[in-house]
């Protein structure tokens, strides 16, 4: 019996395969979407930015439309609005990844809704040719909860940043997690306030010198994955802007998960916090400083040269080449274990251990929207559809005249 | 009915007062029910402390329930109390100034011991020191009689003492010749599973009733004959119930599901409680994590094509301000209910006040007007709830609905409306692109209806109408983000003009009283009953006076200027430090005189009548 098994609580439900519990597609699924309004206007891009959907087209040409098989393409999900992030911003990679993923999900464009708060990341909905709302600072979870609960047929995505969701919106992020509303949250974490021009954020490291902390910040930072696990998240994952392949896969899994799919994306702010995550994202250090883990696989990194083993409640790095340790000694990750998720989430900016990227925790439980709907149905089944006339005349009444 | 004389009264006001644990609200509610059965017109005013169980016997722990009933038109809970039932010295002294000289005070004489007087901060016993000389005082040993009645019951001393309100209820039902059956029925169903408590309460109710008949303290009992109300089926209704039913009616008639987002707050929580029972009526309720979340959820629901409503009280509206601005700029239908209470800050949570008209008008960043509708009676809460929803959807705008603690908890007989008689409530969602650009049909989210200036409501899930909205300034027509200087000015003006056009949907103002009078009283909200009763009294005394009551406070009705032009003196009574009066002065530059009461209590008709006499005398 490995230490992993010893820590694993008995009676856990097996992992759901991605998409298993997802409701069937709403009516109209697979219908060929019409072209976006204003399609044909060539968006201008900041210098150095690649146009989403491939090479720039001559003005007047519609963007790359549905493919030969009639399926929607990436360009179908790009709005006609100019993308206004700073050149070189990590947000571009996230937008491009989401636009690439969308056609693969098979959800009709008209059923997709993006809800955001305030901040650089929260401009995102303007660039998606879906339904969307750019709301107010910190409150996207409330609006997303309202729309998903009243319209469970819609595919709702929430876009937020570290300041938006962990500072001004801290209350709402924990409550959407505990409710487990069936939607996806993409949290762009750049560890800085960008739109207000460079103050430290609730994820900035202690000692951060910014405009508002000329002598260094003294606030202890949040660990977002640990925070949402503490709020009983049912799906928590981390990925990075510089690995679009990994990001796309994680986002797909968050989407296919039936519940709140929380994804923290490390996103470089090249203006106010350039290189914050370079040790995890850049070639020279990535293999040593980052570990990409998967359910059912041993925790191995550094191109197979190193691994992580569980020693009591702690993870320790082991050298797989020295002859003392082998892959069999590494912890085989189990994403349904809240205990393991908690241990792995606490490997955070660790001096000796690599930063983990992947799905920390996935445990399906009934979603809020589904339960609300079920309760309404149960009342209707028990009491019948309410009659207004009966309701108005309820209780003690008397007749005059 | 024994050997007592029966005197017939046109109307009477009774006030039950005791500790917050004495069951005075329940006693008042049951007396109200019996009064409804006796077919009197009525109005009630529950008045309770913010503490759930304040220390026993203290002045600040006093809970009261006032009821005004009669065979005549009853417009207020009454300003002069005819009968005060005081369970202890604190309840007596706190309410004494409300009893008319010559009125009756019934006290529980067992609760006037030294320790009780001490708790009520009294140096001498009011039953002995002459301070009650101008009243008729009836001393009943409520505690002793209750204990004696239940001496064979299995209840413990505490349970027995807590039941004495039933003795008091029985006695007051006898005194005003009310039927005892409604209370008996209520006790039977309420305590069906606790037979010993049920039997004790029934016994006490009966003993109290019989005590009136046999005791020699009362030589007279009273009778109030049925009121001449318009014919139809009636029920007693509280403002909160009426409002909840108004929202159900809106969901029913429009076919749009309603999502009600709310965070518990006094005195608005009862709307949430009521609506959460109406799940089979197209109502979904969410108890949110805070006030901001509550409105955010409602906005999300409205974006999804449902109708979002959020309900709260003044402090909650303060927190919702930014989101109200979002609903204004995104031009989504939304209803924000404010059951006003005494402010500022936490203020007087359980007391009534017309505290937040200025907040509703101006309490947001930027120029963000929204229609404001105010209920005037408990039953009127039904109609304004329905109307607020209808206007929110028709004009694609957030609407503020103002109620207050008095309307929410007060009750009156309510002529049950016929659902078919309600105004039409049809909803048109956008179904196809509305603009042609370069030969291509596209959807623009801010193309307006020429009559209402409403933008189209395109539900997510509708192919081809994908669009984005948000809190950044919108380009006229397309709805895209725009920082253009002239567009911003245009949009500010367009949104304000749209709100102004709600005037199209207002019924003409009605003048109450003498159209040829010099003096016009302008009121809004829950003061309607007191103002019109005061006007009636003044006119009966030979004075010429008129009043006009505003249901829509923003925008002001289009015909208000014309109405005002027929008068030369103006009085604006408000339960605040002067809010509508400033708006009227600003709008019309006429000499509006303010009349303000800021005591957490409604106006009484006599206060209004006196003021009229002062102005015309």
């Amino acid at each position: 019996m490995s230490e992993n098994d010893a820590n694993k609580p008995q009676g856990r439900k097996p992992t759901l395969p991605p998409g298993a519990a997802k409701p069937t597609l709403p009516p109209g699924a697979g219908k060929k979407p019409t072209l976006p309004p204003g399609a044909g206007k060539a968006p201008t891009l900041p210098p150095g930015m690649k146009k989403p959907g491939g090479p720039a087209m001559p003005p007047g040409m519609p963007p790359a439309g549905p493919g030969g098989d009639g399926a929607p393409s990436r360009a179908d999900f790009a709005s006609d609005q100019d993308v206004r992030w700073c050149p070189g911003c990590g947000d571009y990679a996230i937008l491009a990844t989401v636009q690439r993923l969308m056609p693969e999900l098979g959800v009709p464009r008209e059923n997709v809704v993006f809800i955001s708060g305030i901040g650089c990341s929260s401009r995102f909905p303007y660039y998606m040719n879906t339904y969307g709302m750019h709301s107010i600072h910190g409150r996207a979870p409330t609006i997303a909860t309202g729309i998903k609960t009243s319209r469970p047929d819609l595919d709702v995505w929430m876009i937020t940043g570290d300041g938006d969701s962990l500072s001004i919106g801290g209350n709402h992020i924990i409550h959407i997690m505990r409710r487990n509303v069936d939607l996806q949250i993409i949290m762009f974490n750049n560890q800085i306030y960008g739109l207000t021009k460079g103050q430290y954020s609730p994820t900035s490291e202690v000692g951060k010198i910014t405009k508002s902390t000329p002598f260094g910040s003294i606030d202890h930072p949040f660990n977002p994955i640990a925070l949402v696990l503490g709020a009983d998240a049912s799906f928590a994952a981390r990925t990075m802007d510089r690995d679009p392949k990994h990001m796309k896969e994680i986002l797909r899994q968050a989407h296919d998960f039936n519940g709140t799919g929380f994804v923290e994306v490390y996103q470089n702010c090249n203006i106010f916090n350039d290189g914050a995550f370079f040790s995890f994202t850049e070639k020279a250090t990535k293999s040593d400083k980052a570990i990409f883990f998967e359910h059912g696989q041993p925790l191995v990194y550094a191109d197979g040269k190193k691994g992580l083993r569980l020693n009591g409640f702690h993870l320790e790095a082991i050298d797989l080449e020295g002859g003392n340790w082998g892959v069999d000694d590494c912890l085989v990750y189990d994403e349904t274990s809240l205990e393991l998720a908690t241990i792995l989430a606490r490997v955070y900016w660790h001096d000796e251990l690599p930063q983990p990227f992947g799905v920390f925790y996935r445990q399906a439980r009934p979603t809020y929207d589904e339960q609300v709907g079920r309760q309404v149905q149960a009342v209707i089944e028990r009491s019948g559809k309410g009659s207004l006339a009966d309701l108005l005349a309820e209780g003690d009444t008397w007749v005059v005249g | 009915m024994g050997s007592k004389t029966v005197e017939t009264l046109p109307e009477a006001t009774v006030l039950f007062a005791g500790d917050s644990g004495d069951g005075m609200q329940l006693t008042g509610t049951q007396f109200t029910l019996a009064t409804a059965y006796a077919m009197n017109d009525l109005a009630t005013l529950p008045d309770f402390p913010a503490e759930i169980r304040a220390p026993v016997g203290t002045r600040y722990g006093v809970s009261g329930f006032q009821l005004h009933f009669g065979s005549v038109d009853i417009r207020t809970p009454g300003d002069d109390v005819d009968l005060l039932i005081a369970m202890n010295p604190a309840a007596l002294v706190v309410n004494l100034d409300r009893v008319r000289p010559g009125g009756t005070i019934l006290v529980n004489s067992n609760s006037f011991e030294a320790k009780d007087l001490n708790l009520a901060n009294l140096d001498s016993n009011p039953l002995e020191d002459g301070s009650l000389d101008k009243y008729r005082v009836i001393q009943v040993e409520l505690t002793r009689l209750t204990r004696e009645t239940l001496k064979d019951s299995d209840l413990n001393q505490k349970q027995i003492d807590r039941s004495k309100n039933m003795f008091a209820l029985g006695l007051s039902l006898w005194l005003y010749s009310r039927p005892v059956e409604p209370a008996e029925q209520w006790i039977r169903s309420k305590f069906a599973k606790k037979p010993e408590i049920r039997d004790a309460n029934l016994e006490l109710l009966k003993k109290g009733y019989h005590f009136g008949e046999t005791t020699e303290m009362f030589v007279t009992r009273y009778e109030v004959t049925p009121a001449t109300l318009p014919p139809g089926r009636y029920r007693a209704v509280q403002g909160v119930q009426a409002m909840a039913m108004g929202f159900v009616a809106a969901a029913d008639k429009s076919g749009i599901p309603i999502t009600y987002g709310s965070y518990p707050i006094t005195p608005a929580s009862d709307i949430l409680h009521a609506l959460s029972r109406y799940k089979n009526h197209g109502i979904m309720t969410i108890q949110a994590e805070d006030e901001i979340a509550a409105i955010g959820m409602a906005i999300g629901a409205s974006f999804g094509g449902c109708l979002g409503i959020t309900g709260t009280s003044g402090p909650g509206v303060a927190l919702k301000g930014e989101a109200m601005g979002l609903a204004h700029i995104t031009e989504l239908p939304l209803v924000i209910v404010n059951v006003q209470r005494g402010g500022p800050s936490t203020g007087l949570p359980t007391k009534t006040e017309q505290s937040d008209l200025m907040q509703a008008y101006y309490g947001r960043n930027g120029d963000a007007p929204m229609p404001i509708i105010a209920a005037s009676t408990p039953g009127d809460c039904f109609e304004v709830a329905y109307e607020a929803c209808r206007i929110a959807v028709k004009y694609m705008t957030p609407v503020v609905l103002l109620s207050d603690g008095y309307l929410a908890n007060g009750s009156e007989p309510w002529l049950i409306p016929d659902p078919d008689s309600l105004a039409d409530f049809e909803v048109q969602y956008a179904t196809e692109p509305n603009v042609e650009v370069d030969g291509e049909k596209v959807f623009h989210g801010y193309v307006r209806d020429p009559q209402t200036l409403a933008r189209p409501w395109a539900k997510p899930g509708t192919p081809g109408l994908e669009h984005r909205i948000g809190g950044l300034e919108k380009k006229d027509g397309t709805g895209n983000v725009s920082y253009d200087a002239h567009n911003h000015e245009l949009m500010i003006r367009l949104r304000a003009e749209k709100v102004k056009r709600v005037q199209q949907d207002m019924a003409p103002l009605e003048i109450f009283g003498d159209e040829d009078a010099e003096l016009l009283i302008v009121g809004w909200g829950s003061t309607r009953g007191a103002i019109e009763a005061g006007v009636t009294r003044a006119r009966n005394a030979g004075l010429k006076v008129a009043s006009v009551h505003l249901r829509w406070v923003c925008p002001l009705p289009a015909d208000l200027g014309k109405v005002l032009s027929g008068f030369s003196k103006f009085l604006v009574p408000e339960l605040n430090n002067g809010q509508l009066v400033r708006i009227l002065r600003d709008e019309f530059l006429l000499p509006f005189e303010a009349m303000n009461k800021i005591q957490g209590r409604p106006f009484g008709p006599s206060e209004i009548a006196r003021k009229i006499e002062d102005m015309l005398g």
Side-chain angles (χ1 to χ4, degrees), chain A residues 27 31 33-40 79-81 84 109-115 118 123 125-137 139 141-147 149-151 153-154 168 171-173 175-176 178-179 368 372-373 375-376 379-380 383-389 391-401, chain B residues 33 36-37 39-40 185 227 229-236 245 248-249 252-253 259 277-290 292-293 296-301 303-306 322-323 326 330 332 382 413-414 416-417 419 422 440 442-444 458-472 474 480-481 483:
Chain A
K31 199 173 154 193
T34 52
L35 281 179
S79 80
D80 62 348
Q81 296 297 294
R84 298 188 193 178
R109 192 176 60 184
E110 65 270 18
N111 286 348
V112 178
V113 180
F114 278 84
I115 304 288
I118 292 290
R123 299 295 177 96
Y126 290 124
Y127 310 135
M128 294 296 298
N129 189 17
T130 63
Y131 286 90
M133 193 197 300
H134 174 222
S135 73
I136 42 178
H137 208 7
R139 317 306 170 194
T142 72
I143 288 160
T145 298
I147 191 166
T149 308
S150 58
R151 290 286 311 277
D153 56 312
L154 299 174
I168 193 165
N171 194 27
H172 310 303
I173 205 80
H175 287 277
I176 198 169
R178 79 175 165 97
R179 287 194 181 100
Y368 184 74
V372 168
Q375 204 173 48
V376 169
V379 174
I380 292 174
S383 318
K385 193 96 185 69
S387 143
L388 176 61
L391 177 71
L392 297 180
E394 202 180 56
D396 297 299
T397 65
W398 67 95
V399 176
V400 171
Chain B
L33 189 61
Y37 269 79
M39 293 200 192
N40 294 140
Q185 263 177 30
L229 295 166
R233 181 169 286 279
Y234 282 79
R235 65 183 281 192
M245 288 189 286
V248 171
D252 186 274
K253 296 288 280 191
T259 298
R277 291 174 50 232
Y278 299 153
K279 295 199 190 330
N280 56 337
H281 285 276
I283 307 270
M284 180 180 283
T285 55
I286 307 180
Q287 182 176 315
E289 60 268 26
D290 63 27
I292 302 172
M297 290 169 183
I299 291 172
F303 181 51
C306 301
E322 186 187 14
L326 177 71
T330 54
L332 286 170
F382 175 84
W414 185 51
I416 298 169
L422 296 169
E440 200 187 341
V442 296
F443 177 72
H444 283 172
K459 264 201 289 195
T462 315
L465 308 192
E466 294 86 353
H467 67 289
R468 276 66 54 193
I469 57 175
L472 288 170
K474 300 279 158 281
N480 288 329
V481 174
Y483 300 114

Side-chain angles (χ1 to χ4, degrees), chain B residues 164-202:
Chain B
K164 60 182 180 292
N165 61 327
M166 282 299 127
F167 193 98
L169 176 62
L171 179 55
S172 30
L173 290 175
W174 174 84
L175 192 58
Y176 284 97
S177 315
R178 320 270 85 182
V180 76
E181 291 77 15
E184 283 179 346
Q185 263 177 30
W186 178 84
I187 291 169
R188 285 205 184 90
S189 80
K190 171 84 182 169
F191 299 112
K193 287 179 183 157
K194 295 175 179 170
E196 66 288 357
I197 295 184
R198 176 196 62 199
D199 295 345
N201 278 306
L202 286 172

